[in-house]
Amino acid sequence: MERSEPKGVEHVAFVYSSANRILHWIRAVVITGLAVTGFYIARPFLSAGGSSDRLVYAEWVSWHTAMGFVLIAAGILRIYLFFFGKDSRSELRSLEDELSARSWVTQLKSYFFIGELKKKGMYGPLQFLSYSLIMLFVVLASLTGLVLYVHLYHQGLGGMLYGPMRVVESWMGGLATVRLIHHITMWGFLIFIPIHIYMVIWSAIRFRHSAVDIMFTGYDYHLKKRADAEE
């Protein structure tokens, strides 16, 4: 889907479907909420020394659990869209760059202001790798979260998942390791988020395109060089 290019714009293309944009912001909000509630669950700081503390703690746990299931649902849908969604063809083409040494060299050189970034798919190789790692963190956070969930809730969904999640717990080396992995994934998110925001802004300035607002509009545009725009 293409738009007619306005003055000063070299190219406009529709790259992100509404489903992917909505899922992006759902995950952003949910991961932020999970980090905040997760910190409290690990180190409860709203303590008045009374029995009401247990109610406050339980409420934070319930919010953490609810947002965890939202993250699981969003993660499953995002993986489905990667393979079968409207954007899947462009996203899957990024694998060609990921497996190409030449594409890696081209991207790294462009980051040092040597040439321009050229890619066959939606993402450059370094970008695709970082997004793959964050999706791996989502999967690990979801699995470890479910293991912890079945130890707290033994009926309904917790009862149904108890057997499979105990197997996952065993694979991971026990409940203590599961908690550690769950904690590490949170720090993975917290490290990724500021780097992601910085790189989006830097990329918009460096490569003169709509990296910042692309997740609002779905459109990517590339500005013409100043000399060409003035003609």
Side-chain angles (χ1 to χ4, degrees):
M1 183 177 179
E2 303 285 342
R3 274 185 174 178
S4 58
E5 290 81 0
K7 184 178 180 181
V9 174
E10 180 179 353
H11 178 69
V12 179
F14 185 76
V15 292
Y16 276 112
S17 65
S18 57
N20 267 333
R21 300 198 309 274
I22 291 171
L23 283 175
H24 172 272
W25 293 113
I26 288 176
R27 284 177 294 162
V29 171
V30 167
I31 288 173
T32 302
L34 285 169
V36 172
T37 54
F39 267 121
Y40 177 78
I41 292 170
R43 294 286 188 275
F45 52 84
L46 297 177
S47 176
S51 60
S52 61
D53 294 349
R54 297 181 181 179
L55 298 178
V56 174
Y57 185 86
E59 185 175 357
W60 281 70
V61 170
S62 65
W63 277 106
H64 189 82
T65 302
M67 287 186 289
F69 278 109
V70 173
L71 181 65
I72 291 171
I76 292 173
L77 184 54
R78 184 63 184 90
I79 292 172
Y80 172 83
L81 291 176
F82 177 80
F83 291 102
F84 306 107
K86 293 180 179 179
D87 308 332
S88 63
R89 182 175 298 180
S90 180
E91 287 190 310
L92 288 171
R93 273 204 305 267
S94 300
L95 283 169
E96 297 181 32
D97 289 317
E98 187 69 19
L99 301 175
S100 169
R102 190 174 193 177
S103 294
W104 275 94
V105 172
T106 300
Q107 178 168 41
L108 293 175
K109 286 172 62 179
S110 69
Y111 283 172
F112 287 96
F113 298 87
I114 305 173
E116 294 294 324
L117 175 61
K118 296 179 181 179
K119 50 190 179 181
K120 296 179 180 178
M122 186 179 293
Y123 314 114
L126 188 58
Q127 186 183 16
F128 186 85
L129 177 62
S130 63
Y131 289 169
S132 298
L133 287 175
I134 204 65
M135 182 53 69
L136 176 62
F137 278 136
V138 170
V139 172
L140 285 175
S142 299
L143 283 175
T144 53
L146 286 174
V147 172
L148 298 173
Y149 172 80
V150 300
H151 279 277
L152 187 61
Y153 300 95
H154 306 292
Q155 297 181 350
L157 182 60
M160 292 172 57
L161 294 175
Y162 186 80
M165 290 303 106
R166 288 305 302 273
V167 174
V168 174
E169 177 187 334
S170 177
W171 287 345
M172 291 185 174
L175 193 59
T177 306
V178 169
R179 291 183 184 277
L180 178 61
I181 294 173
H182 196 70
H183 190 74
I184 289 172
T185 58
M186 180 195 67
W187 280 106
F189 292 135
L190 293 179
I191 292 171
F192 170 80
I193 290 171
I195 295 175
H196 175 60
I197 294 173
Y198 171 80
M199 288 305 298
V200 167
I201 297 173
W202 183 89
S203 178
I205 297 171
R206 166 68 178 91
F207 300 112
R208 297 174 61 80
H209 74 116
S210 60
V212 176
D213 58 346
I214 191 172
M215 276 301 173
F216 294 97
T217 66
Y219 285 91
D220 186 21
Y221 63 80
H222 290 264
L223 299 175
K224 295 180 180 178
K225 294 180 180 180
R226 293 180 180 177
D228 297 333
E230 292 174 357
E231 292 181 356

Coordinates of all heavy atoms in Angstrom, one line a residue, residues 41-114:
I41 N 6.2 -7.3 44.4 CA 6.0 -8.6 44.9 C 7.3 -9.2 45.4 O 7.3 -9.9 46.4 CB 5.5 -9.5 43.7 CG1 4.1 -9.1 43.3 CG2 5.6 -11.0 44.1 CD1 3.6 -9.8 42.1
A42 N 8.4 -8.8 44.8 CA 9.7 -9.3 45.3 C 10.1 -8.6 46.6 O 10.7 -9.2 47.5 CB 10.8 -9.0 44.2
R43 N 9.8 -7.3 46.7 CA 10.2 -6.5 47.9 C 9.0 -5.6 48.3 O 9.0 -4.4 47.9 CB 11.4 -5.6 47.6 CG 12.7 -6.4 47.3 CD 13.3 -7.0 48.7 NE 14.6 -7.5 48.4 CZ 14.8 -8.8 48.0 NH1 13.8 -9.6 47.7 NH2 16.0 -9.2 47.8
P44 N 8.0 -6.2 49.0 CA 6.8 -5.4 49.4 C 7.2 -4.1 50.2 O 7.9 -4.3 51.2 CB 6.0 -6.4 50.2 CG 6.5 -7.7 49.8 CD 7.9 -7.5 49.5
F45 N 6.9 -3.0 49.7 CA 7.2 -1.7 50.4 C 6.0 -1.0 51.0 O 6.2 0.0 51.8 CB 8.0 -0.8 49.5 CG 7.3 -0.5 48.2 CD1 6.3 0.5 48.1 CD2 7.6 -1.3 47.1 CE1 5.7 0.7 46.9 CE2 6.9 -1.0 45.9 CZ 6.0 0.0 45.8
L46 N 4.8 -1.5 50.7 CA 3.6 -0.9 51.3 C 3.2 -1.6 52.6 O 2.3 -2.4 52.6 CB 2.5 -0.8 50.3 CG 2.7 0.0 49.1 CD1 1.5 -0.2 48.1 CD2 2.9 1.5 49.4
S47 N 4.0 -1.4 53.6 CA 3.8 -2.2 54.8 C 3.5 -1.3 56.0 O 4.2 -0.4 56.3 CB 5.0 -3.1 55.1 OG 4.9 -3.7 56.4
A48 N 2.4 -1.6 56.7 CA 2.0 -0.8 57.9 C 2.1 -1.7 59.1 O 1.7 -1.2 60.2 CB 0.6 -0.3 57.7
G49 N 2.5 -2.9 59.0 CA 2.6 -3.8 60.1 C 1.3 -4.4 60.6 O 1.3 -5.0 61.7
G50 N 0.3 -4.4 59.8 CA -1.0 -5.0 60.1 C -1.4 -6.1 59.2 O -0.7 -6.4 58.2
S51 N -2.5 -6.7 59.5 CA -3.0 -7.8 58.6 C -3.5 -7.3 57.3 O -3.5 -8.1 56.3 CB -4.2 -8.5 59.3 OG -5.3 -7.6 59.6
S52 N -3.7 -6.0 57.1 CA -4.2 -5.5 55.8 C -3.1 -5.6 54.8 O -3.3 -5.5 53.6 CB -4.6 -4.1 56.0 OG -3.6 -3.2 56.4
D53 N -1.8 -5.7 55.2 CA -0.7 -5.9 54.3 C -0.9 -7.1 53.4 O -0.5 -7.0 52.2 CB 0.6 -6.1 55.1 CG 1.0 -4.9 55.9 OD1 0.4 -3.8 55.7 OD2 1.9 -5.0 56.7
R54 N -1.5 -8.1 53.9 CA -1.7 -9.3 53.1 C -2.7 -9.0 52.0 O -2.5 -9.6 50.9 CB -2.2 -10.5 54.0 CG -1.2 -10.9 55.0 CD -1.8 -12.0 55.8 NE -0.8 -12.5 56.9 CZ -1.1 -13.4 57.8 NH1 -2.2 -14.1 57.7 NH2 -0.1 -13.8 58.7
L55 N -3.7 -8.2 52.3 CA -4.7 -7.8 51.2 C -4.0 -7.0 50.1 O -4.3 -7.2 49.0 CB -5.8 -7.1 51.9 CG -6.6 -7.9 52.9 CD1 -7.7 -7.0 53.5 CD2 -7.2 -9.2 52.3
V56 N -3.2 -6.0 50.5 CA -2.5 -5.2 49.6 C -1.6 -6.0 48.7 O -1.6 -5.9 47.5 CB -1.7 -4.1 50.3 CG1 -0.8 -3.3 49.3 CG2 -2.6 -3.2 51.1
Y57 N -0.8 -7.0 49.3 CA 0.1 -7.8 48.6 C -0.7 -8.7 47.6 O -0.3 -8.9 46.4 CB 0.9 -8.7 49.6 CG 1.9 -9.5 48.9 CD1 3.2 -9.0 48.7 CD2 1.7 -10.9 48.6 CE1 4.2 -9.8 48.1 CE2 2.6 -11.7 48.0 CZ 3.9 -11.1 47.7 OH 4.9 -11.9 47.1
A58 N -1.8 -9.2 48.1 CA -2.6 -10.1 47.2 C -3.2 -9.3 46.0 O -3.3 -9.9 44.9 CB -3.8 -10.7 48.0
E59 N -3.5 -8.1 46.2 CA -4.0 -7.3 45.1 C -3.0 -7.0 44.1 O -3.2 -7.1 42.9 CB -4.6 -5.9 45.6 CG -5.2 -5.1 44.6 CD -5.8 -3.8 45.1 OE1 -5.8 -3.6 46.3 OE2 -6.4 -3.0 44.3
W60 N -1.7 -6.8 44.5 CA -0.6 -6.6 43.6 C -0.3 -7.9 42.8 O -0.1 -7.8 41.6 CB 0.6 -6.1 44.3 CG 0.6 -4.6 44.7 CD1 -0.2 -4.0 45.6 CD2 1.4 -3.6 44.1 NE1 0.0 -2.7 45.6 CE2 1.0 -2.4 44.7 CE3 2.4 -3.6 43.1 CZ2 1.6 -1.2 44.4 CZ3 3.0 -2.4 42.8 CH2 2.6 -1.2 43.4
V61 N -0.4 -9.0 43.5 CA -0.2 -10.3 42.8 C -1.3 -10.5 41.8 O -1.0 -11.0 40.7 CB -0.2 -11.4 43.9 CG1 -0.2 -12.8 43.2 CG2 1.0 -11.3 44.8
S62 N -2.5 -10.2 42.1 CA -3.6 -10.4 41.2 C -3.5 -9.5 39.9 O -3.7 -10.0 38.8 CB -5.0 -10.1 41.8 OG -5.1 -8.7 42.2
W63 N -3.0 -8.3 40.1 CA -2.8 -7.4 38.9 C -1.6 -8.0 38.1 O -1.6 -8.0 36.9 CB -2.4 -6.0 39.4 CG -3.7 -5.2 39.7 CD1 -4.2 -4.8 40.9 CD2 -4.6 -4.6 38.7 NE1 -5.3 -4.1 40.7 CE2 -5.6 -3.9 39.4 CE3 -4.6 -4.7 37.3 CZ2 -6.6 -3.3 38.8 CZ3 -5.7 -4.0 36.7 CH2 -6.6 -3.3 37.4
H64 N -0.6 -8.4 38.8 CA 0.6 -9.0 38.1 C 0.2 -10.2 37.3 O 0.6 -10.4 36.1 CB 1.7 -9.4 39.1 CG 3.0 -9.8 38.5 ND1 3.9 -8.9 38.1 CD2 3.5 -11.0 38.3 CE1 5.0 -9.5 37.6 NE2 4.8 -10.8 37.7
T65 N -0.7 -11.1 37.9 CA -1.1 -12.3 37.2 C -2.0 -11.9 36.0 O -1.8 -12.5 34.9 CB -2.0 -13.1 38.2 OG1 -1.2 -13.5 39.3 CG2 -2.4 -14.4 37.5
A66 N -2.9 -11.0 36.2 CA -3.8 -10.6 35.0 C -3.0 -10.1 33.9 O -3.2 -10.4 32.7 CB -4.8 -9.6 35.5
M67 N -2.0 -9.2 34.2 CA -1.2 -8.6 33.1 C -0.3 -9.7 32.5 O 0.0 -9.6 31.3 CB -0.3 -7.4 33.7 CG -1.2 -6.2 33.9 SD -0.2 -4.8 34.4 CE 0.4 -5.3 36.1
G68 N 0.1 -10.7 33.3 CA 0.9 -11.8 32.8 C 0.2 -12.5 31.7 O 0.7 -12.9 30.6
F69 N -1.1 -12.8 31.9 CA -1.9 -13.5 30.9 C -2.2 -12.7 29.7 O -2.3 -13.2 28.6 CB -3.2 -14.0 31.5 CG -3.1 -15.3 32.3 CD1 -3.2 -15.2 33.7 CD2 -2.9 -16.5 31.7 CE1 -3.1 -16.4 34.4 CE2 -2.8 -17.6 32.4 CZ -2.9 -17.6 33.8
V70 N -2.3 -11.3 29.9 CA -2.4 -10.5 28.7 C -1.1 -10.5 27.9 O -1.2 -10.6 26.6 CB -2.6 -9.0 29.1 CG1 -2.6 -8.1 27.9 CG2 -4.0 -8.9 29.8
L71 N 0.1 -10.6 28.5 CA 1.3 -10.7 27.8 C 1.4 -12.0 27.1 O 1.9 -12.1 25.9 CB 2.5 -10.6 28.8 CG 3.9 -10.6 28.2 CD1 4.1 -9.4 27.2 CD2 5.0 -10.7 29.3
I72 N 1.0 -13.1 27.7 CA 1.0 -14.4 27.0 C 0.1 -14.4 25.8 O 0.5 -14.8 24.7 CB 0.5 -15.5 28.0 CG1 1.5 -15.7 29.1 CG2 0.3 -16.8 27.3 CD1 1.0 -16.6 30.3
A73 N -1.1 -13.8 25.9 CA -2.0 -13.8 24.8 C -1.4 -12.9 23.7 O -1.5 -13.3 22.5 CB -3.4 -13.2 25.2
A74 N -0.9 -11.8 24.0 CA -0.3 -10.9 23.0 C 0.9 -11.5 22.4 O 1.2 -11.3 21.2 CB 0.1 -9.5 23.7
G75 N 1.7 -12.2 23.1 CA 2.9 -12.9 22.6 C 2.5 -14.0 21.6 O 3.1 -14.1 20.5
I76 N 1.5 -14.8 21.9 CA 1.0 -15.8 21.0 C 0.5 -15.2 19.7 O 0.8 -15.7 18.6 CB 0.0 -16.7 21.7 CG1 0.6 -17.5 22.9 CG2 -0.7 -17.6 20.7 CD1 -0.5 -18.2 23.7
L77 N -0.3 -14.2 19.9 CA -0.8 -13.5 18.7 C 0.3 -12.9 17.8 O 0.2 -13.0 16.6 CB -1.9 -12.5 19.1 CG -2.6 -11.8 17.9 CD1 -3.3 -12.8 17.0 CD2 -3.7 -10.8 18.5
R78 N 1.3 -12.3 18.5 CA 2.4 -11.7 17.7 C 3.2 -12.7 16.9 O 3.6 -12.5 15.8 CB 3.3 -10.9 18.7 CG 4.4 -10.2 18.0 CD 3.8 -9.1 17.1 NE 4.8 -8.4 16.3 CZ 5.3 -8.8 15.1 NH1 4.8 -9.8 14.5 NH2 6.2 -8.0 14.5
I79 N 3.4 -13.9 17.5 CA 4.1 -14.9 16.8 C 3.3 -15.4 15.6 O 3.8 -15.7 14.6 CB 4.4 -16.1 17.8 CG1 5.5 -15.7 18.9 CG2 5.0 -17.3 17.0 CD1 5.7 -16.7 20.0
Y80 N 2.0 -15.5 15.8 CA 1.1 -15.9 14.7 C 1.2 -14.9 13.6 O 1.3 -15.3 12.4 CB -0.3 -16.1 15.2 CG -1.3 -16.3 14.1 CD1 -1.5 -17.6 13.6 CD2 -2.1 -15.2 13.6 CE1 -2.5 -17.8 12.6 CE2 -3.0 -15.4 12.5 CZ -3.2 -16.7 12.0 OH -4.1 -16.9 11.0
L81 N 1.1 -13.6 13.9 CA 1.2 -12.6 12.9 C 2.5 -12.6 12.2 O 2.6 -12.2 11.0 CB 0.9 -11.2 13.5 CG -0.6 -11.0 14.0 CD1 -0.7 -9.6 14.7 CD2 -1.6 -11.1 12.9
F82 N 3.6 -12.9 12.9 CA 4.9 -13.0 12.2 C 4.9 -13.9 11.1 O 5.5 -13.7 10.0 CB 6.0 -13.3 13.3 CG 7.3 -13.5 12.7 CD1 8.1 -12.3 12.4 CD2 7.9 -14.7 12.4 CE1 9.4 -12.5 11.9 CE2 9.1 -14.8 11.8 CZ 9.9 -13.7 11.6
F83 N 4.2 -15.0 11.2 CA 4.2 -16.1 10.2 C 3.1 -15.9 9.2 O 3.2 -16.3 8.0 CB 4.2 -17.5 10.8 CG 5.5 -17.8 11.5 CD1 5.6 -17.8 12.9 CD2 6.6 -18.2 10.8 CE1 6.8 -18.1 13.5 CE2 7.8 -18.5 11.4 CZ 7.9 -18.5 12.8
F84 N 1.9 -15.4 9.7 CA 0.7 -15.5 8.9 C 0.0 -14.1 8.7 O -1.0 -14.0 8.0 CB -0.3 -16.5 9.4 CG 0.3 -17.8 9.6 CD1 0.6 -18.3 10.9 CD2 0.5 -18.7 8.6 CE1 1.1 -19.6 11.1 CE2 1.1 -19.9 8.7 CZ 1.4 -20.4 10.0
G85 N 0.5 -13.0 9.3 CA -0.2 -11.8 9.2 C 0.1 -11.0 8.0 O 0.9 -11.5 7.1
K86 N -0.5 -9.8 7.8 CA -0.3 -9.0 6.7 C 1.2 -8.5 6.5 O 1.6 -8.3 5.4 CB -1.2 -7.7 6.7 CG -2.7 -8.1 6.7 CD -3.5 -6.8 6.7 CE -5.0 -7.1 6.6 NZ -5.8 -5.9 6.7
D87 N 1.9 -8.4 7.6 CA 3.3 -7.9 7.5 C 4.3 -9.1 7.4 O 5.5 -8.9 7.4 CB 3.6 -7.1 8.8 CG 2.6 -6.0 9.1 OD1 2.0 -5.5 8.1 OD2 2.5 -5.7 10.3
S88 N 3.8 -10.3 7.4 CA 4.7 -11.5 7.6 C 5.7 -11.6 6.4 O 6.8 -11.9 6.7 CB 3.9 -12.8 7.7 OG 3.1 -13.0 6.5
R89 N 5.3 -11.3 5.2 CA 6.2 -11.4 4.1 C 7.4 -10.5 4.2 O 8.5 -11.0 4.0 CB 5.5 -11.1 2.7 CG 6.4 -11.3 1.5 CD 5.6 -11.0 0.2 NE 4.5 -12.0 0.1 CZ 3.6 -12.0 -0.9 NH1 3.7 -11.1 -1.9 NH2 2.7 -12.9 -1.0
S90 N 7.2 -9.3 4.6 CA 8.3 -8.3 4.8 C 9.1 -8.7 6.0 O 10.3 -8.6 6.0 CB 7.7 -6.9 5.0 OG 8.8 -6.0 5.2
E91 N 8.5 -9.2 7.1 CA 9.2 -9.6 8.3 C 10.0 -10.8 8.0 O 11.2 -10.9 8.4 CB 8.2 -9.8 9.4 CG 7.6 -8.6 10.0 CD 6.9 -8.8 11.3 OE1 6.0 -9.7 11.3 OE2 7.1 -8.1 12.3
L92 N 9.5 -11.8 7.3 CA 10.2 -13.0 7.0 C 11.4 -12.8 6.1 O 12.4 -13.5 6.2 CB 9.3 -14.1 6.4 CG 8.2 -14.7 7.4 CD1 7.2 -15.5 6.7 CD2 9.0 -15.5 8.5
R93 N 11.3 -11.8 5.2 CA 12.4 -11.5 4.3 C 13.6 -11.0 5.1 O 14.7 -11.0 4.6 CB 12.0 -10.4 3.3 CG 11.3 -10.9 2.0 CD 11.5 -10.0 0.9 NE 11.0 -8.7 1.2 CZ 9.7 -8.3 0.9 NH1 8.9 -9.1 0.3 NH2 9.3 -7.0 1.2
S94 N 13.3 -10.5 6.3 CA 14.4 -10.0 7.2 C 15.4 -11.1 7.5 O 16.5 -10.9 7.9 CB 13.9 -9.3 8.5 OG 13.0 -8.2 8.1
L95 N 14.9 -12.4 7.5 CA 15.7 -13.5 7.8 C 16.9 -13.6 6.8 O 18.0 -14.1 7.1 CB 14.9 -14.8 7.7 CG 14.0 -15.1 9.0 CD1 13.1 -16.2 8.7 CD2 14.9 -15.3 10.2
E96 N 16.6 -13.2 5.5 CA 17.7 -13.2 4.5 C 18.9 -12.3 5.0 O 20.0 -12.6 4.8 CB 17.2 -12.8 3.2 CG 16.1 -13.7 2.6 CD 15.6 -13.2 1.2 OE1 16.4 -12.6 0.5 OE2 14.4 -13.4 0.9
D97 N 18.5 -11.1 5.5 CA 19.6 -10.2 6.0 C 20.2 -10.8 7.2 O 21.5 -10.6 7.4 CB 19.0 -8.8 6.3 CG 18.6 -8.1 5.0 OD1 19.4 -8.1 4.1 OD2 17.5 -7.5 5.0
E98 N 19.5 -11.4 8.1 CA 20.0 -12.0 9.3 C 21.1 -13.0 9.0 O 22.1 -13.1 9.8 CB 18.9 -12.6 10.1 CG 19.3 -13.0 11.5 CD 19.6 -11.9 12.4 OE1 19.1 -10.7 12.1 OE2 20.2 -12.1 13.5
L99 N 20.9 -13.8 8.0 CA 21.8 -14.9 7.6 C 22.9 -14.4 6.6 O 23.6 -15.3 6.1 CB 21.0 -16.0 7.1 CG 20.0 -16.6 8.0 CD1 19.2 -17.7 7.3 CD2 20.6 -17.2 9.3
S100 N 22.9 -13.1 6.3 CA 23.9 -12.6 5.3 C 25.0 -11.8 6.0 O 24.7 -10.8 6.6 CB 23.2 -11.8 4.3 OG 24.1 -11.1 3.5
A101 N 26.2 -12.3 5.9 CA 27.4 -11.5 6.5 C 27.5 -10.2 5.8 O 27.8 -9.2 6.5 CB 28.6 -12.3 6.3
R102 N 27.2 -10.1 4.5 CA 27.2 -8.8 3.8 C 26.3 -7.8 4.4 O 26.6 -6.6 4.6 CB 27.0 -9.0 2.4 CG 27.2 -7.9 1.5 CD 27.1 -8.2 0.0 NE 27.6 -7.2 -0.9 CZ 27.6 -7.3 -2.2 NH1 27.1 -8.4 -2.8 NH2 28.2 -6.4 -2.9
S103 N 25.1 -8.2 4.8 CA 24.1 -7.3 5.3 C 24.5 -6.9 6.7 O 24.3 -5.7 7.1 CB 22.7 -8.1 5.4 OG 22.2 -8.3 4.2
W104 N 25.1 -7.7 7.5 CA 25.7 -7.3 8.8 C 26.7 -6.3 8.7 O 26.7 -5.3 9.4 CB 26.2 -8.5 9.5 CG 25.2 -9.3 10.3 CD1 24.5 -10.4 9.8 CD2 24.8 -9.1 11.6 NE1 23.7 -10.9 10.8 CE2 23.8 -10.1 11.9 CE3 25.1 -8.1 12.6 CZ2 23.2 -10.1 13.1 CZ3 24.4 -8.2 13.8 CH2 23.5 -9.2 14.1
V105 N 27.6 -6.4 7.7 CA 28.7 -5.4 7.5 C 28.1 -4.1 7.1 O 28.5 -3.0 7.5 CB 29.7 -6.0 6.5 CG1 30.7 -4.9 6.1 CG2 30.5 -7.2 7.0
T106 N 27.1 -4.2 6.1 CA 26.4 -3.0 5.7 C 25.8 -2.2 6.8 O 25.9 -1.0 6.9 CB 25.4 -3.3 4.6 OG1 26.1 -4.0 3.5 CG2 24.7 -2.1 4.1
Q107 N 25.1 -2.9 7.7 CA 24.4 -2.3 8.8 C 25.4 -1.7 9.8 O 25.2 -0.5 10.2 CB 23.4 -3.2 9.5 CG 22.8 -2.5 10.7 CD 21.6 -3.3 11.3 OE1 21.7 -4.5 11.4 NE2 20.5 -2.7 11.6
L108 N 26.4 -2.4 10.1 CA 27.4 -1.9 11.1 C 28.1 -0.7 10.5 O 28.4 0.3 11.3 CB 28.3 -3.0 11.5 CG 27.7 -4.2 12.3 CD1 28.8 -5.3 12.5 CD2 27.2 -3.7 13.6
K109 N 28.4 -0.7 9.2 CA 29.1 0.4 8.6 C 28.1 1.7 8.6 O 28.6 2.8 8.9 CB 29.5 0.1 7.2 CG 30.7 -0.8 7.1 CD 30.9 -1.3 5.6 CE 31.2 -0.1 4.7 NZ 31.4 -0.6 3.3
S110 N 26.8 1.4 8.4 CA 25.9 2.6 8.4 C 25.8 3.2 9.8 O 25.6 4.4 9.9 CB 24.5 2.1 7.9 OG 23.9 1.3 8.9
Y111 N 25.9 2.4 10.8 CA 25.9 2.9 12.2 C 27.1 3.8 12.5 O 27.1 4.6 13.4 CB 25.8 1.8 13.2 CG 24.4 1.2 13.3 CD1 24.2 0.1 14.0 CD2 23.3 1.8 12.7 CE1 22.9 -0.5 14.1 CE2 22.0 1.2 12.7 CZ 21.8 0.1 13.5 OH 20.6 -0.4 13.6
F112 N 28.2 3.6 11.7 CA 29.4 4.4 11.9 C 29.4 5.5 10.8 O 30.5 6.0 10.5 CB 30.6 3.6 11.9 CG 30.8 2.8 13.1 CD1 30.4 1.4 13.2 CD2 31.4 3.3 14.2 CE1 30.6 0.7 14.3 CE2 31.6 2.6 15.4 CZ 31.2 1.3 15.4
F113 N 28.3 5.8 10.2 CA 28.1 6.9 9.2 C 28.9 6.6 7.9 O 29.4 7.5 7.3 CB 28.5 8.2 9.8 CG 27.6 8.6 10.9 CD1 27.9 8.3 12.2 CD2 26.5 9.4 10.7 CE1 27.0 8.6 13.2 CE2 25.6 9.8 11.7 CZ 25.9 9.4 13.0
I114 N 29.1 5.3 7.6 CA 29.8 4.9 6.4 C 28.7 4.2 5.5 O 28.4 3.1 5.6 CB 30.9 3.9 6.7 CG1 31.9 4.5 7.7 CG2 31.6 3.5 5.4 CD1 32.9 3.5 8.1

